[in-house]
């Protein structure tokens, strides 16, 4: 055992030993033993501090396996964690996810302290659009409702009519009963929603001048999208799927709706991170390929040891990857990094988030 970790009090040591045994039972095929031993000690310290500080820990499905299987009170997709954030009576919410998720928790809980363990946990989708872009889209398409993916920052949500996540995007669009909607900022999610709802889509561009440009020759469209992409899911291709099917004809392929429509069409199932987890749990096939962030493949493999999870390569989200047990411990020890949303922005963003939660 490593000698570098200072000796913990007896009860903490007993908790660490118990956590180590639990992690070893689930993750012995996925994480080296010495790493599990070290991480169990960190997790035990976090659990003790979490109780002492009356905190709740929410963990997104993309968290690395040892963190995912040890410290969160709840794990889930963006929608499930938003609901948990709305329900908690704890004083502190530690969000093991990325900044837009922690901001959503703060929007729903203005009087609580919301902590994000790393300041570097962003998102390429959230970075792709500004509040000014939304104002320009509204000016160009007056009266058209704005549906905003939850993977955006609070000021963009504040300009929107309603939010959605990957698990309710179609239901949210249909709930508006509007012939045309603005759906931002994920181009691929918008194209997948267009495919499912039978709508046509156009995607305006932002010019170097900062102006939003719309193709005026386009006439037949009911979804106005945006050019945001997830830097993880845009990497998957139809050729990847064909190559895996050629080698393993019985493989069941799942794709997150942030993948391109061609990839989603070539897959057997598409859904949110939690929908994909449930699909593997409830399906009897022996072999799966999950086209999403790779840590989630490890988490599914640990929960379903009798099923084989194929890997294309290690596609990790560089933002989710910033959230470690070390950073989470420091977050609770030093109350960092505190998420703040200006009150005027929060109140307007809350309307869009609450309207989504009402849709279900
Ligand atoms: P889910 O809402 O499906 O968990 O997706 C969040 C995300 O960021 C996927 O890349
Ligand atoms: Fe954002 Fe993509 Fe990372 Fe999800 S996987 S947090 S969409 S960059």
């Amino acid at each position: 055992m490593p000698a570098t970790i200072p000796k913990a009090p007896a009860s903490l040591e007993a908790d660490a030993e118990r956590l180590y045994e639990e992690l070893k039972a689930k993750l012995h095929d996925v994480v080296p033993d010495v790493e599990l031993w070290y991480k169990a000690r960190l997790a035990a310290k976090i659990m003790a501090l979490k109780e002492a500080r009356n905190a709740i820990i929410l963990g997104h499905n993309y968290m690395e396996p040892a963190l995912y299987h040890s410290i969160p009170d709840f794990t889930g997709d963006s929608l499930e964690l938003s609901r948990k954030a709305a329900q908690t009576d704890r004083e502190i919410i530690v969000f093991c996810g990325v900044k837009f998720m922690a901001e959503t928790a703060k929007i729903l809980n203005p009087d609580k302290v919301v902590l994000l363990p790393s300041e570097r946990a962003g998102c390429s989708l959230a970075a792709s659009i500004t509040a000014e872009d939304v104002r320009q889209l509204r000016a160009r398409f007056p009266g058209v409702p704005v549906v905003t993916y939850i993977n955006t920052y609070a000021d963009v949500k504040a300009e929107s009519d309603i939010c959605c996540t990957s698990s309710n995007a179609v239901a949210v669009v249909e709930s508006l009963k509007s012939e045309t909607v603005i759906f931002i900022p994920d181009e691929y999610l918008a194209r997948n929603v267009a495919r499912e709802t039978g709508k046509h889509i156009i995607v305006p561009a932002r010019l170097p001048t900062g102006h939003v440009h719309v193709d005026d020759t386009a006439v037949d469209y009911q979804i106005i999208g945006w050019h945001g992409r997830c830097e993880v899911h845009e990497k998957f291709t139809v050729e990847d799927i064909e190559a895996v099917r050629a080698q393993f004809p019985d493989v069941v392929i799942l794709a997150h709706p942030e993948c391109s429509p061609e990839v989603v069409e070539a897959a057997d199932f598409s859904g949110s991170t939690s929908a994909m987890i449930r699909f593997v749990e409830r399906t009897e096939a022996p072999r799966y390929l999950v086209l999403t962030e790779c840590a989630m493949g490890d988490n599914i493999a640990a929960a379903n040891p009798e099923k084989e999870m194929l890997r294309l390569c290690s596609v990790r989200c560089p933002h989710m990857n910033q959230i470690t047990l070390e950073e989470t411990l420091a977050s609770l020890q030093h109350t960092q990094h505190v998420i703040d949303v200006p009150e005027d922005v929060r109140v307007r963003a809350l309307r869009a988030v609450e309207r989504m939660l009402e849709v279900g």
Side-chain angles (χ1 to χ4, degrees):
M1 285 182 187
T4 46
I5 297 182
K7 196 147 174 45
S11 65
L12 201 58
E13 187 55 35
D15 288 346
E17 216 30 62
R18 181 184 47 74
L19 272 168
Y20 166 67
E21 292 301 333
E22 283 172 18
L23 287 176
K24 196 162 72 162
K26 286 181 191 149
L27 302 176
H28 58 276
D29 280 345
V30 180
V31 184
D33 191 62
V34 65
E35 196 178 317
L36 287 181
W37 188 91
Y38 171 74
K39 288 186 171 177
R41 263 116 200 108
L42 286 170
K45 286 185 190 168
I46 293 168
M47 300 293 265
L49 208 47
K50 181 180 79 166
E51 290 311 313
R53 300 210 58 193
N54 193 22
I56 185 174
I57 299 182
L58 302 178
H60 187 262
N61 291 326
Y62 288 164
M63 290 297 101
E64 61 94 358
L67 188 159
Y68 180 85
H69 287 280
S70 60
I71 58 169
D73 295 281
F74 297 101
T75 55
D77 64 16
S78 308
L79 183 63
E80 291 164 338
L81 295 182
S82 301
R83 290 193 188 287
K84 292 296 177 198
Q87 289 160 1
T88 187
D89 56 4
R90 298 287 179 107
E91 284 166 48
I92 299 178
I93 300 173
V94 181
F95 215 116
C96 290
V98 291
K99 186 177 172 193
F100 74 81
M101 297 178 178
E103 267 194 0
T104 306
K106 183 67 183 177
I107 289 166
L108 289 159
N109 293 283
D111 299 330
K112 296 191 198 305
V113 175
V114 177
L115 302 178
L116 181 66
S118 169
E119 283 179 308
R120 295 181 301 280
C123 170
S124 66
L125 282 170
S128 74
I129 191 158
T130 65
E132 173 55 23
D133 294 329
V134 189
R135 286 191 287 272
Q136 287 197 36
L137 285 169
R138 273 201 191 278
R140 176 65 182 73
F141 300 100
V144 177
V146 177
V147 180
T148 293
Y149 193 30
I150 198 126
N151 294 39
T152 47
Y153 293 122
D155 57 342
V156 168
K157 290 186 174 81
E159 300 294 332
S160 314
D161 294 290
I162 187 165
C163 289
C164 75
T165 73
S166 62
S167 69
N168 63 12
V170 170
V172 164
V173 167
E174 287 178 341
S175 77
L176 294 174
K177 310 257 183 286
S178 173
E179 165 83 4
T180 309
V181 297
I182 297 170
F183 189 107
I184 53 175
D186 186 350
E187 177 182 343
Y188 285 163
L189 181 62
R191 289 191 185 281
N192 286 317
V193 169
R195 206 168 56 92
E196 269 195 64
T197 55
K199 292 180 185 285
H200 294 146
I201 175 169
I202 55 161
V203 180
R206 192 203 290 120
L207 301 175
T209 57
H211 290 96
V212 170
H213 172 74
V214 180
D215 175 5
D216 284 322
T217 61
V219 281
D220 178 21
Y221 58 84
Q222 298 81 39
I223 292 189
I224 298 136
W226 190 247
H227 50 264
R229 299 269 179 89
C230 163
E231 66 190 275
V232 174
H233 293 94
E234 71 173 352
K235 292 198 175 86
F236 299 116
T237 64
V238 174
E239 290 71 40
D240 293 333
I241 293 182
E242 286 168 352
V244 172
R245 286 207 199 278
Q247 210 182 339
F248 303 99
D250 62 352
V251 68
V252 174
I253 299 183
L254 297 82
H256 193 276
E258 289 169 9
C259 294
S260 74
E262 294 76 21
V263 165
V264 168
E265 180 125 79
D268 300 299
F269 176 80
S270 178
S272 77
T273 52
S274 288
M276 291 193 285
I277 291 171
R278 283 192 292 271
F279 185 92
V280 175
E281 272 165 16
R282 294 170 189 175
T283 309
E284 288 309 317
R287 197 171 278 128
Y288 301 81
L289 175 71
V290 183
L291 298 178
T292 195
E293 215 280 346
C294 265
M296 202 178 94
D298 289 337
N299 293 333
I300 298 179
N304 300 273
E306 74 293 355
K307 294 173 182 169
E308 187 186 353
M309 303 301 298
L310 300 179
R311 299 289 151 72
L312 278 181
C313 55
S314 187
V315 186
R316 282 238 60 193
C317 169
H319 309 285
M320 293 282 183
N321 211 9
Q322 301 295 331
I323 307 298
T324 60
L325 286 164
E326 286 88 342
E327 299 271 12
T328 308
L329 179 59
S331 172
L332 273 166
Q333 281 171 332
H334 308 299
T335 315
Q336 65 190 27
H337 301 274
V338 176
I339 297 292
D340 272 321
V341 177
E343 188 58 10
D344 59 322
V345 173
R346 189 193 71 78
V347 171
R348 289 186 295 131
L350 179 65
R351 276 202 308 262
V353 173
E354 283 189 333
R355 209 170 153 193
M356 169 189 81
L357 293 176
E358 281 159 22
V359 171

